[in-house]
Amino acid sequence: MTAASLEIVPAASFGEVVAARLADRLVARPSLVVCLPTGRTPLPLYERLPAAVAARSASLAGATVVLLDEYLGLPAGHGARCDTVLRREVIDRSDPPPRFVPFDVDRADPPEACAAVDAAIAANGGLDLVILGLGANGHVGMNEPGAAPDAPTRVVELAASTREAARGYGADPPPSHGVTVGMAAIAAAREIWLLATGTAKAAILARTVDGPISVEVPASLLRPHAGLRIIADDAAAAALRRR
Ligand code: PGA
């Protein structure tokens, strides 16, 4: 891990700093193809994004937003569905909105929905940027421990801690399976921003950054990527060996 790829930001300005950076990317490339996560970590970023975009007289109108992952078995519109969350937090707050590529799990078979997301990524020239949260178990998207570095976009069985997180987001009973952009597609992106905030992520961030590169911590598999940037707040960075 080089110093340049790890950035520690005060918790109070985390959303603003990352939103500013994403808005800068939109200015540089209005046709940005960006894969975005749900979960709690990116919420401050999404809250600040409209102001950051407006401050630069920029727009998401030419951008494509690809959903990182989705639960299976929840009805369309369910409040814990990843597409519902990303529409509410990003797409519907953008005027005009970006093109949105969710997993079409309502009309297509899950493997077909995965193939359609991969096809949309390819049709748009590949992902410029993937923004990731860090799972308590080291997952990225729903690439759970054990996922190979070349794992495709696919149907996955959710780890116990991921199911519990889903319950916390309002899916009760939580789903057992999901679909996720795979490790291969994440690693093929030009840039990857891995976000981690709060003391609850300190131990897994330390394993991700300072531990061995291992399929047991899928986020660690991204360390060789030249475009990886890890952005953590003070609390999440507290257990890191190198500051
Ligand atoms: P969180 O989830 O942002 O709600 O902590 C991250 C993840 O599990 O990927």
Side-chain angles (χ1 to χ4, degrees):
M1 182 66 43
T2 62
S5 62
L6 171 65
E7 187 176 351
I8 299 167
V9 175
S13 54
F14 188 85
E16 199 176 336
V17 166
V18 185
R21 187 155 306 140
L22 180 52
D24 286 342
R25 290 296 186 279
L26 275 168
V27 170
R29 190 174 173 85
S31 63
L32 194 75
V33 183
V34 57
C35 184
L36 294 180
T38 54
R40 296 206 172 84
T41 308
L43 293 179
L45 150 66
Y46 296 156
E47 197 183 321
R48 304 297 183 115
L49 188 60
V53 169
R56 289 159 179 78
S57 300
S59 164
L60 277 133
T64 300
V65 171
V66 178
L67 183 61
L68 177 63
D69 50 20
E70 184 59 275
Y71 298 114
L72 293 177
L74 299 182
H78 191 291
R81 274 266 295 251
C82 301
D83 58 353
T84 306
V85 172
L86 206 60
R87 276 199 182 90
R88 186 182 67 221
E89 298 295 330
V90 176
I91 310 300
D92 294 348
R93 282 179 176 166
S94 308
D95 186 20
R99 174 159 181 257
F100 184 39
V101 180
F103 286 87
D104 187 4
V105 291
D106 302 309
R107 285 178 300 175
D109 282 343
E112 282 171 27
C114 290
V117 166
D118 273 344
I121 291 171
N124 283 282
L127 293 170
D128 295 307
L129 171 64
V130 181
I131 300 181
L132 302 167
L134 176 62
N137 64 355
H139 75 196
V140 285
M142 292 174 183
N143 293 282
E144 304 285 18
D150 61 351
T153 301
R154 67 202 185 286
V155 177
V156 288
E157 184 174 359
L158 302 181
S161 62
T162 306
R163 289 199 294 271
E164 278 319 300
R167 197 194 304 276
Y169 304 144
D172 196 1
S176 60
H177 289 75
V179 284
T180 186
V181 170
M183 295 302 293
I186 292 171
R190 292 166 192 99
E191 267 194 285
I192 303 169
W193 299 352
L194 176 65
L195 312 183
T197 56
T199 49
K201 297 294 170 66
I204 191 62
L205 186 63
R207 284 182 70 194
T208 299
V209 173
D210 295 326
I213 292 178
S214 161
V215 296
E216 291 314 311
V217 181
S220 73
L221 299 174
L222 303 174
R223 270 163 43 195
H225 193 289
L228 174 67
R229 175 172 287 262
I230 297 177
I231 312 173
D233 71 1
D234 294 300
L240 295 179
R241 220 181 286 148
R242 284 156 285 193
R243 295 288 299 261

